[in-house]
Amino acid sequence: VRDKNGTVYLGTGYDGKIFRVKAGRVKQIATTGQLVVTSLALDNKGNLYASTLPDPIIWKVSGPSKISGKPEAAKEWAKLPKGTEHVFTIAFGGRGKTLYAGTGPEGKLFAIGKDRRASVYLDLEEQHILSIAALGKGELAVGTSPGAKLLKVSGPGRASALADFEGTEVKALVVQKD
């Protein structure tokens, strides 16, 4: 994920580390203690959130642009409910007040507010929600597996198909803003 100043944050596999790339320099800034960082998102205050595997946890790194010295341990911010095995993707929607988490194997999209409680926002017949992008006006786009569907989510429990692709996954989404 890239912040408004152009700094890039990335998560790794096999050790769940988080790095910052700024002005051509790479620095490890946080650890999660998990196997894989699956997705990163920034809130409107510049805090960084990470989803990981194998545990269905959302981690928070406060002020990632200011971390110097040794990497910090990310703080557990929210744990998703029982039955959720994987958190594949996270993204802030709307005005950045709600974090959405795409999960599997039950194909649920969770909304997590400032209270850090996860509630089911959308429950699909698909097994996995692999990608999320905010479209504006409170709408989201989500990509699924194994049906490779692209859906527009317009509110709790409301989704409509934008595309049904060949293949098995819609793994990444980017929204171009004019």
Side-chain angles (χ1 to χ4, degrees):
V1 67
R2 182 186 309 260
D3 72 13
K4 61 185 175 193
N5 299 316
T7 301
V8 174
Y9 299 93
L10 58 99
T12 64
Y14 302 113
D15 55 11
K17 295 177 182 175
I18 300 171
F19 291 83
R20 176 180 64 216
V21 182
K22 183 176 181 178
R25 292 189 164 166
V26 178
K27 175 167 184 49
Q28 182 186 345
I29 60 166
T31 60
T32 64
Q34 295 289 295
L35 182 64
V36 177
V37 174
T38 57
S39 186
L40 298 169
L42 287 161
D43 68 13
N44 53 11
K45 294 181 181 177
N47 297 305
L48 183 66
Y49 297 79
S51 60
T52 59
L53 293 174
D55 298 323
I57 297 172
I58 309 294
W59 303 88
K60 181 178 180 182
V61 179
S62 298
S65 64
K66 298 176 182 141
I67 295 174
S68 61
K70 288 175 48 177
E72 296 182 5
K75 306 281 188 267
E76 184 177 311
W77 185 73
K79 190 164 190 167
L80 278 76
K82 214 172 198 178
T84 305
E85 292 181 26
H86 311 296
V87 181
F88 293 110
T89 183
I90 57 175
F92 278 93
R95 296 182 178 98
K97 294 181 181 178
T98 303
L99 182 69
Y100 294 92
T103 69
E106 297 177 345
K108 292 181 180 174
L109 178 67
F110 289 92
I112 308 165
K114 301 260 183 216
D115 64 359
R116 303 185 304 172
R117 290 200 166 109
S119 60
V120 176
Y121 195 76
L122 184 67
D123 189 352
L124 299 175
E125 291 181 17
E126 287 285 274
Q127 291 178 340
H128 308 290
I129 296 176
L130 299 180
S131 53
I132 306 170
L135 298 175
K137 298 180 183 179
E139 297 179 325
L140 303 168
V142 298
T144 71
S145 172
K149 292 177 174 58
L150 176 61
L151 305 172
K152 179 168 79 170
V153 181
S154 55
R158 296 192 320 254
S160 57
L162 295 174
D164 188 351
F165 297 101
E166 290 184 27
T168 60
E169 298 179 340
V170 177
K171 191 142 175 128
L173 299 170
V174 175
V175 176
Q176 181 177 336
K177 297 177 183 176
D178 295 330

